Amino acid sequence: MAPEVLKRNYGPEVDVWSAGVILYILLCGVPPFWEETEQGVAQAIIRSVIDFKRDPGPKISDNAKDLVKKMLDPYPSRRLTAQQVLVQVIAEFLSAEEVAGMKEAYEMMDTGKKGKINLGELKNGLQKLGHQIPDADLQILMAQFDFL
């Protein structure tokens, strides 16, 4: 959830934030703001420090990292709009390999081929990618992204 949601004052910019979180997860296999408790996650969201130092971060293109950082800007007025994201992604940020990798990861998770991922599919998909995330944390993610 975007920092402004925690402050209960938000607009459509939160959708770009959510898409940025999803993009980070697809690129890195883990959520960008990860703590043991809900309060810890909320504090991490407010700090909004994006880490690309751990694997596979160093292998991700600088353009993709830059896009995620701009989508996860803690200030809604500076955050990219949905249209800016779309244009920039198509125009310059993602290589054909990155698009193919994201599509492959998503399709692997979307076992029901419905065009959206449910909790079980997300859990199984992340496990296949080698990431073990506790059920409670996955449920928090699902609630934040309104996948259901």
Side-chain angles (χ1 to χ4, degrees):
M1 104 180 46
E4 63 268 29
V5 172
L6 295 170
K7 299 171 187 170
R8 302 195 192 313
N9 182 19
Y10 57 93
E13 303 86 2
V14 299
D15 293 335
V16 172
W17 176 277
S18 295
V21 170
I22 293 167
L23 179 57
Y24 184 96
I25 291 170
L26 289 172
L27 290 169
C28 298
V30 295
F33 308 109
W34 185 252
E35 296 294 334
E36 295 295 323
T37 65
E38 286 185 41
Q39 182 179 6
V41 171
Q43 290 172 350
I45 289 169
I46 291 170
R47 285 191 306 272
S48 299
V49 175
I50 310 301
D51 178 19
F52 284 107
K53 294 179 183 95
R54 298 181 311 237
D55 252 355
K59 299 173 191 168
I60 297 169
S61 76
D62 290 339
N63 288 339
K65 291 178 198 176
D66 186 58
L67 175 64
V68 169
K69 288 176 184 176
K70 289 178 178 177
M71 292 174 75
L72 296 178
D73 190 308
Y75 299 96
S77 61
R78 294 190 322 210
R79 196 174 301 145
L80 293 177
T81 66
Q83 184 168 355
Q84 289 170 322
V85 171
L86 179 62
V87 169
Q88 289 187 11
V89 167
I90 292 170
E92 60 186 280
F93 282 107
L94 297 179
S95 69
E97 293 84 20
E98 287 169 323
V99 171
M102 287 173 41
K103 183 177 179 186
E104 181 181 329
Y106 182 84
E107 288 175 350
M108 182 267 302
M109 289 184 195
D110 184 18
T111 56
K113 306 300 178 206
K114 301 176 301 291
K116 56 185 175 179
I117 298 172
N118 64 33
L119 178 63
E121 290 170 327
L122 178 62
K123 179 180 179 177
N124 292 336
L126 290 173
Q127 286 176 344
K128 287 179 185 176
L129 293 171
H131 304 287
Q132 299 294 327
I133 299 177
D135 286 349
D137 294 326
L138 285 174
Q139 290 173 351
I140 291 169
L141 283 173
M142 293 299 288
Q144 290 173 354
F145 302 131
D146 193 26
F147 282 176
L148 299 175

